[in-house]
Amino acid sequence: MAKNLPIAIDIGNHAIKVAQGVSDGMRPRQIRYAYTPLPADYRWEPGAETAPLLPILRTALQEAGTKGNSAVCVLPRDQVTLRFTQFPKARREDALRMAMLEAEQHIPLPAAETVVGYEALGDASGPDILRAVMIAAARKNVVHAYLSLLDELGLESSQITLDSLCLYRLWKAQLGGSESALLIDLGGKKSVISSLADGLLYMSRAVDCGGDNLTAAFAQELGCTTAEAERVKREEGLARTHDRSDGVISAWLNNLCAEIRRSTLASPQRIAQPQRIYLTGGNSLVPQLPRILESKVGLPVAHLTVAQNLIPPAREPLFSLAISASLQAAEPREALNLVPSEVVTEETDRRKKRFGWGLALAIIVAVVVYLAGTLVLVLQRESQIRQLDERMAEADRITRQATSLRADRRQAIDRLEYLSNKYDDKHRFLDLLLQIHDAAPPKVWLTNLMVETRVNGDTGAKTILQATGKAPDNERVADLIAALSHIPNMVQVDLQSATNVPFGQERVVEFSLSCELTSNPIPAEAAADDTP
């Protein structure tokens, strides 16, 4: 029997995208979708006036022919703060508490104003049985703005998720997640670059390199209006403009390529370098963009397919985000959901009230039947006695289960305390990394950090931090040494080597340096595990 999946709503800079999958239990058999443009001078931001947006959303839902009232909203990457870490495998309630604790320590948002969620990205592995997880935090006012929209549309909020997470799930479902790749969602205001490898999402960042900037570049280079520039961008693309190396369109391409390289360099060293780039989003349909991007970056570029020919291929990049959110919202998993707990509680209370009215009606019917005759009364009482026995047995079973759950909870708390103590040294190393990151001048990349203990008969044991990296020139290296010298507990910052090496079409300085940590030494095994 066909099942209507949740309705996914993607509110973009220029249009509303609505999609709803229809599944037969194994695969999608139909996609209902609609694309409704926003007024040219209107941009909706969470908390802004919704009156102009509501009729457009209702039109999109009507044109798509959606059914049911369960909906999922997709937050843009720049509205969500992410942290990638590892957790021991635990019950969802315990894992959520660990995520909230991690968010309080590492995500710079006030806890009272924040909604925290998590998603398990992989299975547990390693000697400590840890698994990769992504923690997401969004401001409550942003989340409640989307929930208010759904409420005014008469829809129930089954899930609030993240755009880059939906596209990561799509990549994993369609391609198996066996290769290392970059996934680029080219939006209107911003683009989102995600690093993927070994079936996991390692990084996702929003960059100011969207389609609106490209349209403005067309208008400036061709000397035409914004509307005409948008038409040329969509119909002719980069075929007749990208050869001008000094033009603003070429500068836009160079900026996008630079952001791609930054994402590659920022990935941990243990992650394989990307082998392919996948494009999605409406601006990925600009003619000649994949071919030119491939020639500039040196990696194969392809579009990320979505719906298995259930919609025209030329429309897939426009709806990839909404379709992915709808198809995967109903899948059983530890999925990210930023719907606040108090909203879930209110929905549960409403369902209990509806159940209460139904129960009251059932009692009235039972009384009428009771009065129908003596025989019916006797049979009904016998049935009630049997039901009561079953309920008592069920209550006894639930009591035993609750006792077992309390024991599991105590074990989970003990395990959490053990892990907190075990990884205390690693957290101190992460604090040191954060100080170095804040002090380092722009355009300096540290590629390796190592802490070791040296024993000298005269001076005793010393904790030495060794670092290697790349910088545009020697002046930046000198700036880095000066900045590190001002960090407490770091003394005698010495340059070990500096070599001018090629890097793409440019040359950079590859350097190494060392310094002494005067207090709170970091164990070498903690530093080795967290080397960037």
Side-chain angles (χ1 to χ4, degrees):
M1 182 177 177
K3 176 184 177 182
N4 294 317
L5 302 181
I7 304 165
I9 299 175
D10 176 18
I11 303 175
N13 291 308
H14 301 287
I16 302 294
K17 279 85 72 178
V18 170
Q20 182 182 33
V22 180
S23 173
D24 60 4
M26 298 180 62
R27 58 184 179 83
R29 54 180 290 185
Q30 180 186 357
I31 300 293
R32 305 185 183 111
Y33 62 95
Y35 177 96
T36 306
L38 292 170
D41 57 346
Y42 178 78
R43 299 289 182 275
W44 183 74
E45 296 289 342
E49 177 61 37
T50 61
L53 185 64
L54 290 172
I56 299 175
L57 279 167
R58 292 189 178 97
T59 299
L61 294 170
Q62 183 177 5
E63 290 179 357
T66 58
K67 298 181 179 180
N69 63 347
S70 178
V72 53
C73 280
V74 183
L75 294 183
R77 172 63 184 85
D78 59 351
Q79 295 283 1
V80 181
T81 302
L82 299 181
R83 175 171 172 80
F84 297 88
T85 184
Q86 289 183 322
F87 281 170
K89 190 169 185 179
R91 294 178 305 172
R92 180 166 182 82
E93 295 80 6
D94 295 331
L96 184 57
R97 283 194 289 270
M98 287 189 284
M100 295 176 68
L101 178 63
E102 189 82 6
E104 289 178 1
Q105 296 179 356
H106 298 285
I107 293 180
L109 293 174
E113 303 173 10
T114 306
V115 181
V116 176
Y118 84 101
E119 175 148 344
L121 300 176
D123 296 324
S125 61
D128 298 317
I129 316 190
L130 299 175
R131 58 178 176 175
V133 297
M134 184 193 75
I135 301 173
R139 294 189 180 275
K140 282 188 177 180
N141 63 329
V142 173
V143 173
H144 281 291
Y146 282 85
L147 293 175
S148 297
L149 274 178
L150 296 182
D151 186 61
E152 292 185 77
L153 293 170
L155 300 175
E156 292 183 358
S157 54
S158 63
Q159 185 182 19
I160 292 183
T161 185
L162 173 65
D163 54 5
S164 56
L165 181 61
C166 291
L167 296 174
Y168 157 71
R169 292 176 186 162
L170 173 64
W171 170 78
K172 193 170 183 179
Q174 298 292 336
L175 303 172
S178 59
E179 64 178 351
S180 297
L182 291 177
L183 177 57
I184 304 177
D185 180 19
L186 292 171
K189 185 177 180 182
K190 293 179 180 289
S191 295
V192 178
I193 303 177
S194 301
S195 298
L196 318 169
D198 300 326
L200 299 179
L201 173 66
Y202 283 98
M203 182 180 66
S204 177
R205 52 192 293 262
V207 297
D208 291 317
C209 193
D212 291 350
N213 302 118
L214 182 57
T215 301
F218 268 93
Q220 181 177 345
E221 192 155 307
L222 300 178
C224 60
T225 64
T226 300
E228 177 63 15
E230 182 69 17
R231 185 196 65 78
V232 174
K233 183 183 76 172
R234 296 295 181 186
E235 297 179 3
E236 300 181 31
L238 304 173
R240 63 172 176 149
T241 58
H242 80 281
D243 291 332
R244 292 183 55 184
S245 59
D246 59 342
V248 288
I249 294 177
S250 179
W252 183 90
L253 286 168
N254 292 337
N255 185 32
L256 178 59
C257 293
E259 294 295 349
I260 292 173
R261 294 189 186 97
R262 290 191 185 98
S263 298
T264 302
L265 292 173
S267 298
Q269 285 188 329
R270 67 180 183 274
I271 305 305
Q273 292 297 305
Q275 302 168 345
R276 188 180 298 272
I277 293 176
Y278 291 98
L279 298 180
T280 187
N283 287 285
S284 68
L285 295 171
V286 173
Q288 304 298 320
L289 176 60
R291 180 185 63 81
I292 295 173
L293 192 61
E294 184 172 298
S295 66
K296 283 182 171 289
V297 180
L299 293 174
V301 178
H303 281 95
L304 184 65
T305 57
V306 183
Q308 303 166 354
N309 296 322
L310 293 177
I311 68 174
R315 304 281 284 174
E316 281 196 7
L318 284 171
F319 292 95
S320 57
L321 184 57
I323 293 175
S324 176
S326 176
L327 294 181
Q328 298 173 58
E331 291 186 7
R333 66 156 70 85
E334 293 183 78
L336 173 71
N337 192 355
L338 294 175
V339 177
S341 57
E342 60 268 23
V343 175
V344 177
T345 302
E346 291 174 2
E347 180 62 26
T348 302
D349 291 341
R350 286 195 293 269
R351 292 177 180 175
K352 287 182 178 179
K353 289 180 180 179
R354 290 196 295 267
F355 175 79
W357 284 110
L359 181 61
L361 180 61
I363 292 174
I364 294 174
V365 173
V367 171
V368 173
V369 173
Y370 175 82
L371 297 176
T374 303
L375 180 60
V376 174
L377 175 62
V378 172
L379 293 176
Q380 184 180 30
R381 286 182 175 177
E382 290 179 353
S383 175
Q384 290 175 342
I385 291 173
R386 287 195 299 269
Q387 291 178 4
L388 181 60
D389 290 339
E390 292 173 357
R391 291 177 181 176
M392 291 178 65
E394 179 65 13
D396 184 64
R397 184 188 68 80
I398 292 175
T399 301
R400 293 194 302 270
Q401 185 178 18
T403 302
S404 175
L405 291 174
R406 283 194 294 269
D408 291 343
R409 178 178 178 272
R410 287 193 296 271
Q411 293 177 2
I413 293 174
D414 293 340
R415 180 64 175 169
L416 180 59
E417 292 177 351
Y418 164 76
L419 290 174
S420 298
N421 294 330
K422 181 171 182 180
Y423 287 95
D424 180 65
D425 290 334
K426 292 188 175 183
H427 288 168
R428 287 194 288 117
F429 182 69
L430 290 177
D431 292 338
L432 177 61
L433 286 179
L434 182 59
Q435 292 182 55
I436 295 174
H437 174 270
D438 292 339
K443 298 185 179 179
V444 173
W445 305 279
L446 293 181
T447 58
N448 186 50
L449 290 175
M450 182 175 69
V451 176
E452 63 179 2
T453 302
R454 298 177 182 175
V455 179
N456 187 296
D458 297 329
T459 60
K462 292 184 177 181
T463 302
I464 304 300
L465 172 67
Q466 293 182 322
T468 61
K470 293 180 176 65
D473 47 47
N474 289 323
E475 287 78 3
R476 294 298 175 91
V477 177
D479 292 343
L480 173 64
I481 293 174
L484 295 183
S485 299
H486 289 87
I487 294 178
N489 304 329
M490 294 181 65
V491 297
Q492 295 181 358
V493 182
D494 297 323
L495 179 65
Q496 303 295 316
S497 65
T499 308
N500 195 280
V501 297
F503 185 72
Q505 297 180 355
E506 302 176 352
R507 298 189 70 85
V508 298
V509 176
E510 189 172 73
F511 64 88
S512 64
L513 54 85
S514 67
C515 68
E516 180 183 347
L517 303 179
T518 59
S519 64
N520 293 329
I522 301 166
E525 61 271 19
D529 290 343
D530 290 280
T531 300

